[in-house]
Amino acid sequence: MTGTIHSLWTTAADSATPLDKIPTPKIEYAQLSPVLIVFGAAVLGILVEALLPRRSRYIAQLGVSVTGLAAAFAAIVALAADGYASAKSHIAAMGAVAVDGPALFLQGTIVLVALVAAFTFAERRLDPLAHGRRVDSFAAQGSTVPGSEQEKRAVRAGFTTTEVFPLLLFAVGGMMIFPAANDLLTLFVSLEVFSLPLYLLCALARRHRLLSQEAAVKYFLLGAFSSAILLFGVALLYGYAGTISYGGIADVISGTAKMTPALANTTANDSLLLIGGAMVVVGLLFKVAAVPFHMWTPDVYQGAPTPVTGFMAAATKVAAFGALLRLLYVVLPGIRWDWRPVMWGVAIATMVIGAIIAVTQTDVKRLLAYSSIAHAGFILAGVIALSPDGVSSVLFYLAAYSFVTLGAFAVVTLVRDAGGEATHLSRWAGLGRRSPLVAAVFAVFLLAFAGIPLTSGFAGKFAVFKAAAQGGAVPLVIIGVISSAIAAFFYIRVIVLMFFSEPQPGGPSVAVPSALTSTAIAAGVAVTLALGVAPQYFLDLAGKASVFVR
Amino acid sequence: MNPINYLYLSALLFTIGGAGVLVRRNAIIVFMCVELMLNACNLAFVTFARLHGNLDGQIIAFFTMVVAAAEVVVGLAIIVTFFRSRHSASVDDASLMKL
C-alpha cells in the first residue's frame, strides 16, 4: 500500500508524466449560468460599494441586485425550457453540481424569494426620518456600539449599510448551489457560503441592536458547531466510500462499485457509514430547524432585522430541504431501513413540539418561528415518503410556504410604534378595526399557514400528507393532521385578536409602505391564492421536476 | 504505524471540541473549540486519503482551512461587536430574549 500512496506524488525519474497530460477540468458555463450571474452581481455590488460615492450606492445596489436576480431567473427558465429539468439533466463541473429538475425548481424558487426579499431590504419609508434622511431597517454602521456617540455621528452623517445587498446575493448564490451540490465537498462549501452572509445580516438591525447582535452570536456559534458536525460526517462518509461524489458513495453502499483492498477494509464496518450519514443529516436538520436541532430558531428569528428574518425563514428552508432530499434520495437510499425510523421520530417531534410551543408564544416573530418549525415537520413527512410523489410534494410545499413566510414577515415590518416594530401580540389587538387591509392580508397568510382550503397551505399539506400516506406512513399523517389542528388554533387566535378585540389606546400605528414592500406583500398574497385556487398546474410542474440525476 | 490510530486521535479531538462548545461560557473559547472540531475533521480527511490511496481527502483539507479562515473573519467580527456593546463575551449574558 505504501507503494500506491507514494506513486501519487512521487514518480520514477525515467517515466515522468509531462505536465501537459493533466486533463483540464471541463466547466459547463451555460448550465451553471444562474449561479454565476448571481455571484457576478454580488461581486459587482462589492465594486459599487468600493467605488461609488455614498449617496448613489443605494440605487446602484438595488439595481444590480434586482437585475442580477431577474437575469438568474431568466437563465433558470431558459435551462428548464431547454430540457435540463428532464431529459437533458446532467452533472456539470466535473461532477460537482447537478443540473436537474429538483435543482432548477428549487433554484427558481430561491431566486424569486430573494427578488421579493430584496424589495423588503430596500424599504425606506417605514422608519421616521433620521436627520431629514430616509433610512432602512439596517444599522447606520454595523461596527458602532449601540447608543454610543459614534453611532449618533454615523446616523447624523446619514450612513446606511448598503452592503446588505451584496451579502444577500452571496447568500443566494450559496443557497442555489446547496440543493444542487453533487459531492460532499460542494455541499459543505456552499453551506458556509450561504451561512456566513446570513450571520452578518442578522447582526445589522437599526432598532434593537442588542437583540440583533445577540441573535447573530447565537446563530453563528450554533451554526458553526453544526457545520463542524456535518464536516466530520463528510469525513466519515469519505472514509467509508473512498469518494465524495454522491453517485460514487451510493454505488459503494449498494455494492456495485469496483472493490479495492482499501475499500474492502473500510466497508467491512458499517459504523463509518451509519455515523457519517447521521452526522451529515444532523447538520442539515439544524439548517431546516427540525426538533431537536431547533433551539436557535426563535431567538434568531426574533432578533434579526425582520426583512432578513423573512428571507432567512423562506430561502434557507428551501435550500436545506433541497440538500436533504438529494442526500437521502441519491446517496443514502441504500440504507433507508436505517434512516427512515429516525426521520419518522424527528418529523413527529418537530410537528408536535413546534405546534404546541407556538401556542404559548406572545411575540409575533417568535410565533412565526415556532410555526416555521412545525412546517419543517410537515415537509419532513413528505421527505420520508421516499417516492417521486414525495419529491414533488416537498418541492410544491417549499414554493408555497416560502412566499407565505416572506409576506407574513413583510406585514410584521408595517405594524410599528415609537420603539420600532410592535411585535408583542397584545399590541396587535384590534388591528383589524384600525387597518382592515393590513389585518386582512395578515389573516390570509395565517390561514395559509393553517392550511385552510383555497390557500396554498392547504394544497401543499394535502400533497405532502398524500405522498406520506402512500409511502406507508399513515400514523405519521394522523399525527400531522392533529398537530395541524393544534397549529390552526393559534393562527385563528391571532385572527380573532386582530378583528374581534378592542383596539388598545395608544396602540401601534400601521406605517404606509412604499411600492417596494407593497410589491412584496402583493406577491405573497398572489402566490398564496394562485397556488391555493389552481394548484394543479404547479403540482404538475413540480411533478415534472421530481427526478434526480445521478 | 497503523493509520487507524490517527482516526482515534481525530475522534478524540473532535469530542474535546464538541464538549468544549457545550460547557465553556466564553464565546471566544466556544469558537476556538469549533475550530478544533474542524481541525479534527482535517486529520480524519488526510488519514482516510492515506487509507484509500487517493488525494480527495487532502484536497478537502485545504478547502476546510479556507472555510475555517473565512469563518474566523465573520465570527470574530460578530463576537467583537457583541463584546463592545456589553463588555463581556460570556454566552450566558446573551439572554435578552429569554421568556
Side-chain angles (χ1 to χ4, degrees):
Chain A
M1 195 171 71
T2 315
T4 55
I5 189 83
H6 280 176
S7 67
L8 287 171
W9 53 79
T10 58
T11 175
D14 51 349
S15 68
T17 33
L19 274 177
D20 56 304
K21 287 282 173 58
I22 294 174
T24 38
K26 190 162 161 291
I27 308 287
E28 294 85 344
Y29 290 102
Q31 293 168 32
L32 299 174
S33 58
V35 183
L36 295 177
I37 290 171
V38 170
F39 279 133
V43 172
L44 206 59
I46 300 281
L47 289 178
V48 165
E49 211 53 50
L51 300 177
L52 286 192
R54 272 182 194 279
R55 60 178 186 287
S56 42
R57 281 182 204 166
Y58 168 72
I59 288 293
Q61 291 286 18
L62 185 58
V64 167
S65 307
V66 170
T67 318
L69 290 169
F73 186 70
I76 292 166
V77 172
L79 282 177
D82 207 11
Y84 282 104
S86 46
K88 281 162 82 179
S89 57
H90 179 74
I91 296 176
M94 308 293 286
V97 179
V99 183
D100 58 7
L104 288 174
F105 188 94
L106 294 169
Q107 287 178 343
T109 311
I110 291 168
V111 167
L112 285 184
V113 164
L115 192 59
V116 176
F119 290 150
T120 59
F121 274 46
E123 175 63 57
R124 291 198 153 179
R125 298 255 169 170
L126 300 176
D127 253 312
L129 298 182
H131 301 281
R133 289 193 187 78
R134 296 199 179 283
V135 293
D136 49 24
S137 338
F138 298 100
Q141 209 169 21
S143 59
T144 55
V145 177
S148 67
E149 187 52 41
Q150 204 188 3
E151 189 193 35
K152 288 185 191 118
R153 231 180 298 141
V155 173
R156 263 200 304 279
F159 291 174
T160 50
T161 310
T162 39
E163 290 92 339
V164 292
F165 292 102
L167 286 174
L168 170 78
L169 289 175
F170 278 120
V172 172
M175 285 172 182
M176 288 168 73
I177 303 179
F178 200 47
N182 198 57
D183 67 41
L184 293 168
L185 175 60
T186 314
L187 181 82
F188 173 67
V189 172
S190 58
L191 172 80
E192 292 292 336
V193 168
F194 84 74
S195 297
L196 294 179
L198 282 181
Y199 302 147
L200 288 176
L201 285 170
C202 280
L204 288 174
R206 179 172 286 268
R207 308 294 193 97
H208 307 298
R209 280 276 292 292
L210 285 178
L211 284 188
S212 165
Q213 291 177 349
E214 183 177 321
V217 167
K218 285 179 179 171
Y219 193 20
F220 170 72
L221 289 177
L222 290 174
F225 184 49
S226 78
S227 54
I229 291 175
L230 180 131
L231 187 65
F232 203 74
V234 170
L236 294 183
L237 283 181
Y238 167 63
Y240 176 80
T243 171
I244 50 168
S245 90
Y246 280 12
I249 297 173
D251 284 344
V252 173
I253 292 174
S254 60
T256 51
K258 196 166 76 64
M259 265 302 156
T260 62
L263 204 55
N265 196 14
T266 52
T267 51
N269 186 351
D270 267 353
S271 55
L272 279 180
L273 170 65
L274 293 176
I275 300 174
M279 290 176 96
V280 173
V281 170
V282 164
L284 295 177
L285 287 179
F286 176 89
K287 285 289 162 198
V288 305
V291 176
F293 314 106
H294 68 291
M295 293 301 186
W296 58 277
T297 316
D299 282 359
V300 173
Y301 280 21
Q302 186 190 354
T306 310
V308 176
T309 312
F311 169 67
M312 194 163 68
T316 310
K317 207 148 263 191
V318 176
F321 265 112
L324 187 64
L325 270 181
R326 190 177 295 275
L327 188 80
L328 293 180
Y329 281 59
V330 175
V331 186
L332 302 176
I335 53 165
R336 59 185 173 282
W337 306 114
D338 294 300
W339 61 254
R340 271 188 94 184
V342 180
M343 296 302 277
W344 263 66
V346 171
I348 290 174
T350 310
M351 290 188 283
V352 172
I353 293 179
I356 289 178
I357 300 186
V359 173
T360 65
Q361 296 305 311
T362 53
D363 185 283
V364 179
K365 284 168 89 176
R366 283 185 94 84
L367 181 106
L368 291 177
Y370 278 105
S371 122
S372 92
I373 294 171
H375 281 277
F378 301 141
I379 303 174
L380 277 176
V383 173
I384 292 167
L386 207 62
S387 64
D389 274 354
V391 179
S392 67
S393 67
V394 169
L395 295 182
F396 179 85
Y397 199 118
L398 286 170
Y401 168 80
S402 55
F403 279 93
V404 180
T405 308
L406 260 186
F409 278 106
V411 174
V412 171
T413 62
L414 300 184
V415 182
R416 310 178 76 89
D417 57 18
E421 287 153 14
T423 53
H424 200 274
L425 260 186
S426 64
R427 311 277 288 155
W428 286 54
L431 194 72
R433 308 250 179 119
R434 276 203 307 267
S435 327
L437 183 63
V438 169
V441 166
F442 198 60
V444 169
F445 292 136
L446 290 176
L447 291 175
F449 278 134
I452 305 296
L454 294 182
T455 62
S456 59
F458 175 75
K461 266 193 190 130
F462 186 77
V464 165
F465 286 152
K466 190 171 136 230
Q470 282 170 349
V474 177
L476 195 67
V477 174
I478 294 172
I479 295 174
V481 172
I482 293 173
S483 40
S484 299
I486 300 173
F489 163 74
F490 63 79
Y491 297 126
I492 305 289
R493 200 186 59 173
V494 176
I495 295 176
V496 169
L497 185 78
M498 287 194 302
F499 283 99
F500 301 108
S501 49
E502 286 300 316
Q504 273 183 340
S509 58
V510 172
V512 179
S514 68
L516 291 164
T517 302
S518 310
T519 313
I521 296 175
V525 174
V527 172
T528 305
L529 294 180
L531 264 61
V533 175
Q536 201 52 50
Y537 172 75
F538 299 95
L539 279 169
D540 288 346
L541 194 68
K544 270 186 235 154
S546 64
V547 180
F548 289 101
V549 64
R550 221 192 97 184
Chain B
M1 193 169 128
N2 189 349
I4 301 288
N5 289 334
Y6 290 102
L7 290 180
Y8 291 134
L9 176 62
S10 145
L12 184 68
L13 288 174
F14 187 83
T15 315
I16 293 173
V21 171
L22 297 176
V23 302
R24 295 306 294 263
R25 287 288 161 260
N26 187 307
I28 300 277
I29 309 265
V30 172
F31 185 42
M32 282 165 61
C33 289
V34 170
E35 296 291 313
L36 183 62
M37 293 167 78
L38 292 180
N39 282 323
C41 297
N42 272 351
L43 183 56
F45 275 122
V46 293
T47 311
F48 282 127
R50 176 79 168 73
L51 276 175
H52 284 289
N54 64 30
L55 286 178
D56 292 1
Q58 303 199 6
I59 304 291
I60 300 173
F62 283 114
F63 275 89
T64 310
M65 286 179 213
V66 175
V67 165
E71 215 169 58
V72 168
V73 172
V74 169
L76 283 186
I78 291 174
I79 294 173
V80 166
T81 49
F82 179 80
F83 173 78
R84 294 210 312 164
S85 54
R86 296 170 194 247
H87 301 290
S88 148
S90 166
V91 288
D92 281 343
D93 288 349
S95 58
L96 288 177
M97 283 178 280
K98 251 188 203 152
L99 282 176

